[in-house]
Amino acid sequence: FNATTMVKVWYEPPPYGPGTALNRPSYGHQAGGTQLIQQLSRRPSGLLIAGACVTFTALAYIPVMIREARQGLPFTLSPEYQAAQRAYMRYHNMNPIFGISSREARAADEAH
């Protein structure tokens, strides 16, 4: 064995880029993928994310809209419930500096 003999080596990189496996495909879309996925991947990512957020927000609001159309507002927004909640908060002296238990708030409620 001669250590000074130079051998020519042909390096062939992995088929899906550096750091990928030789025996399985890479992650992401393939050349045979759908046309829609390829078009979306070429668009600016900020616009795509904003569009997805708007779409999913609209889809999430549909059940809320249906419930409000059937039942109206929640019972916690009725004037009687809010008056009882204010009385409870005053009784327990909640938020005494600037809130419902402050001198200004008590004076404003007594004026009504």
Side-chain angles (χ1 to χ4, degrees), residues 6-7 13-15 22 40 44-45 48 50 63 69 80 84-85 87 91 102 112:
M6 299 289 283
V7 178
L22 295 172
L40 290 176
S45 61
L48 193 63
E80 299 86 17
Q85 187 177 20
Y91 178 77
S102 66
H112 287 108

Side-chain angles (χ1 to χ4, degrees), residues 79-96:
E80 299 86 17
Y81 189 90
Q82 288 183 345
Q85 187 177 20
R86 278 195 306 272
Y88 178 84
M89 290 174 74
R90 240 186 242 116
Y91 178 77
H92 290 286
N93 201 21
M94 293 181 183
N95 204 356

Side-chain angles (χ1 to χ4, degrees), residues 30-110:
Q30 301 293 321
T34 63
Q35 196 75 8
L36 175 68
I37 299 296
Q38 290 179 0
Q39 286 177 354
L40 290 176
S41 68
R42 292 186 186 111
R43 296 206 183 266
S45 61
L47 183 65
L48 193 63
I49 291 171
C53 288
V54 167
T55 301
F56 286 119
T57 302
L59 286 174
Y61 185 69
I62 290 173
V64 174
M65 186 174 52
I66 291 171
R67 186 191 61 103
E68 285 183 3
R70 287 184 187 162
Q71 299 173 354
L73 293 174
F75 71 94
T76 56
L77 293 178
S78 68
E80 299 86 17
Y81 189 90
Q82 288 183 345
Q85 187 177 20
R86 278 195 306 272
Y88 178 84
M89 290 174 74
R90 240 186 242 116
Y91 178 77
H92 290 286
N93 201 21
M94 293 181 183
N95 204 356
I97 298 173
F98 297 109
I100 196 74
S101 296
S102 66
R103 290 183 186 142
E104 292 85 14
R106 287 178 189 254
D109 274 348
E110 289 174 2

